[in-house]
Amino acid sequence: MTTHRLKIHEQYANAVLNGTKTFEVRKNDRGYKVGDKIVFDVVTNEGYAVGAATRHPLNGAAYRIDYILDDFEGLAQKYVALAISKEGE
């Protein structure tokens, strides 16, 4: 099992935190596997880790990869959709 630290914009972090966004679409340049963990680093929607973004409650939260959709016609080449759930739930 590997732990991946991923940046996430505030607008998406809020949706993950409240449970309405239960997936991530990412380039598979890390060799994601079911069971791996994702730890989020929240950044502003402009891509900077400053101010309120650094204090976001999703910062440092661990999520588990439950399913990986890859090699799907609707995804760009080398991209995957990761089904995620809060670690420990």
Side-chain angles (χ1 to χ4, degrees):
M1 177 192 62
T2 302
T3 298
H4 306 277
R5 270 201 103 86
L6 301 178
K7 291 180 184 173
I8 186 169
H9 288 165
E10 280 180 289
Q11 66 187 31
Y12 304 122
N14 292 333
V16 169
L17 195 62
N18 71 28
T20 57
K21 183 175 182 286
T22 58
F23 64 92
E24 282 292 308
V25 175
R26 299 284 177 147
K27 186 172 187 171
N28 195 8
D29 55 356
R30 297 171 181 247
Y32 298 108
K33 297 196 178 341
V34 171
D36 283 359
K37 291 183 185 180
I38 295 174
V39 175
F40 288 108
D41 291 321
V42 180
V43 297
T44 65
N45 292 333
E46 293 76 35
Y48 303 104
V50 295
T54 61
R55 295 183 298 276
H56 197 283
L58 190 66
N59 262 340
Y63 281 72
R64 179 183 57 252
I65 297 175
D66 298 318
Y67 181 81
I68 300 173
L69 177 65
D70 64 349
D71 198 24
F72 181 73
E73 185 177 322
L75 291 170
Q77 189 174 10
K78 297 186 181 177
Y79 277 75
V80 292
L82 308 170
I84 59 172
S85 61
K86 180 89 168 121
E87 186 74 349
E89 291 184 5

